[in-house]
Amino acid sequence: MSDSELAALVAARETRAEAALFARFAPRVELYGLKHLRSRPAADDLVQQVMLIVLEAVRAGRLEDPNKLASFVLGTCRHVTWDLRRAAQRRQEVEREATTFDVTVGPPAVTDGDVARLFQCLHRLPERESSIVRMSFLEDQTAEAIGVRLGLSAGNVRVIRHRALAKLAGCMHAEEAS
Amino acid sequence: MSCPNLETVAAWTLDELAPDAAEAFEEHYFGCDACLAQASEMRRLITELGAALPPILTGERRRALAASHPGHSVVDVHPGETAALTLGTAAPVGLWVMHAPLAGVERVDVDARDPSGAALFSLKDVPFDATRGEVVLACQLHYRGLTGSGRVQVTLTATDVRGAVAESAYVLEHFFESA
């Protein structure tokens, strides 16, 4: 179903269409929130607020061009993210607490298979790529610090890291399917 | 915009894409199911990496582990020794503290092999504590399929600031209690 058909059905108060609208856009908003707000509760907040605004606008027929439903959701996402960031900044200014180390390590909710797959794929990467992934994500080092250790610029470390993650994702996907 | 490659998706996820390229990707994935799936998988992978128990622990990760898994087993082992660690559902994580002379050392590499000499893993330039002379190797129940017989021969290769190389070898025996 196209975005404009979906918008028309929501405007006609088809409840199944509202569920479909949520199913189509909530994961996109969630991903946007995780990237821009860097926290799960904040991303959940964003999903609630954005989907409510979108639903009300579409129901009321306030969407200027129903073909641009996706752009409307993204635009709403950007506005609400900006508001949430401002609110978080204000909260931080008030609280100003000492930072605590809150990385949880240890066996998370994973299976033997997940861990084995991850480490096998990591070891299949060329040595420099594997080291950069390990230093970045398992040893929490910045691109600058890794660059100093390996004799590379920080920008170069980032580029190699992107390439390594792409290969790792490809390997994980292939292993999962096999 | 057509579907970008996975490297661009990784850069976007890490917030390392130029702002205009990031916005273009966002406009694209809001209308593309395939790219939404790829970006979701990339985020899952990065989250999994961040939550994974690293093979060699930094001081910070060791403190975090002590907070999240108080009472985990810690086995000290010195060069030339064989030591044993038992893991089970009640004690899913354990640490090997490998002691070695590390004063003045600039870099430590770790090589792990099974008793037949087949490589299990090899890690270059790992974290170490030069003052205490320690390299901390974490083991977890989830590794049980990776250690073969459970007997792992580990060699630490330490290179000091003048380029001198020293090796320390350990035999680490793992026992896994069935649930």
Side-chain angles (χ1 to χ4, degrees):
Chain A
M1 193 190 309
S2 72
D3 281 0
S4 59
E5 287 165 341
L6 187 57
L9 287 173
V10 172
R13 301 298 172 107
E14 279 274 348
T15 43
R16 285 218 314 250
E18 290 188 359
L21 180 85
F22 195 87
R24 183 172 300 180
F25 289 107
R28 291 170 157 85
V29 177
E30 182 190 28
L31 193 65
Y32 184 95
L34 286 169
K35 190 243 177 191
H36 289 272
L37 297 166
R38 297 165 190 238
S39 111
R40 162 66 55 192
D44 290 344
D45 254 12
L46 182 73
V47 172
Q48 292 302 321
Q49 293 194 33
V50 169
M51 293 314 293
L52 192 67
I53 293 167
V54 169
L55 208 55
E56 282 175 350
V58 179
R59 271 183 191 157
R62 277 190 274 117
L63 207 59
E64 279 177 19
D65 181 354
N67 285 311
K68 293 190 174 159
L69 177 60
S71 297
F72 178 70
V73 181
L74 176 58
T76 308
C77 235
R78 287 178 173 151
H79 285 301
V80 176
T81 297
W82 194 77
D83 287 345
L84 286 173
R85 269 207 193 124
R86 289 262 309 214
Q89 258 169 13
R90 278 198 299 272
R91 237 183 353 258
Q92 274 173 4
E93 281 162 17
V94 173
E95 290 170 2
R96 281 276 172 245
E97 283 180 349
T99 47
T100 49
F101 195 76
D102 64 349
V103 176
T104 45
V105 292
V110 294
T111 63
D112 290 4
D114 292 337
V115 171
R117 206 164 48 232
L118 184 62
F119 281 93
Q120 273 158 4
C121 286
L122 200 52
H123 291 142
R124 274 183 214 158
L125 292 177
E127 187 182 305
R128 190 166 69 169
E129 293 178 13
S130 166
S131 294
I132 288 178
V133 168
R134 174 170 55 81
M135 289 171 176
S136 300
F137 301 106
L138 300 178
E139 294 165 13
D140 314 309
Q141 294 192 50
T142 62
E144 286 74 14
I146 297 168
V148 169
R149 288 212 78 96
L150 301 181
L152 297 166
S153 72
N156 224 325
V157 169
R158 291 191 190 99
V159 169
I160 297 170
R161 187 159 65 190
H162 302 155
R163 191 190 311 145
L165 283 171
K167 285 185 192 169
L168 204 51
C171 175
M172 295 287 282
H173 196 72
E175 287 283 316
E176 207 163 7
S178 68
Chain B
M1 181 186 193
S2 54
C3 292
N5 59 24
L6 265 176
E7 291 171 37
T8 304
V9 176
W12 178 79
T13 308
L14 293 174
D15 209 4
E16 291 171 355
L17 209 54
D20 52 344
E23 285 187 10
F25 175 65
E26 284 156 9
E27 272 150 29
H28 174 76
Y29 93 72
F30 262 71
C32 174
D33 289 339
C35 286
L36 170 69
Q38 284 199 329
S40 303
E41 265 186 51
M42 185 58 73
R43 173 156 291 280
R44 191 169 64 115
L45 170 66
I46 292 170
T47 308
E48 231 173 87
L49 276 169
L53 184 64
I56 306 292
L57 297 190
T58 58
E60 276 183 343
R61 290 276 179 139
R62 190 176 173 186
R63 282 190 285 282
L65 180 69
S68 63
H69 289 77
H72 58 268
S73 311
V74 178
V75 177
D76 288 276
V77 57
H78 294 85
E81 285 182 356
T82 298
L85 174 66
T86 301
L87 298 175
T89 41
V93 189
L95 298 186
W96 294 104
V97 179
M98 295 181 284
H99 295 265
L102 298 176
V105 163
E106 201 174 47
R107 166 187 165 134
V108 175
D109 300 331
V110 176
D111 178 76
R113 295 175 182 273
D114 74 8
S116 73
L120 291 170
F121 61 86
S122 167
L123 304 168
K124 306 289 182 202
D125 203 358
V126 300
F128 62 94
D129 187 329
T131 317
R132 296 163 69 107
E134 290 176 356
V135 175
V136 181
L137 173 66
C139 191
Q140 56 169 307
L141 196 57
H142 290 309
Y143 291 173
R144 63 191 142 192
L146 300 176
T147 54
S149 65
R151 196 175 167 90
V152 181
Q153 296 171 340
V154 175
T155 306
L156 299 186
T157 306
T159 309
D160 74 13
V161 283
R162 286 170 302 178
V165 175
E167 286 196 350
S168 306
Y170 314 81
V171 177
L172 312 180
E173 287 198 288
H174 300 81
F175 297 98
F176 298 101
E177 283 175 351
S178 47

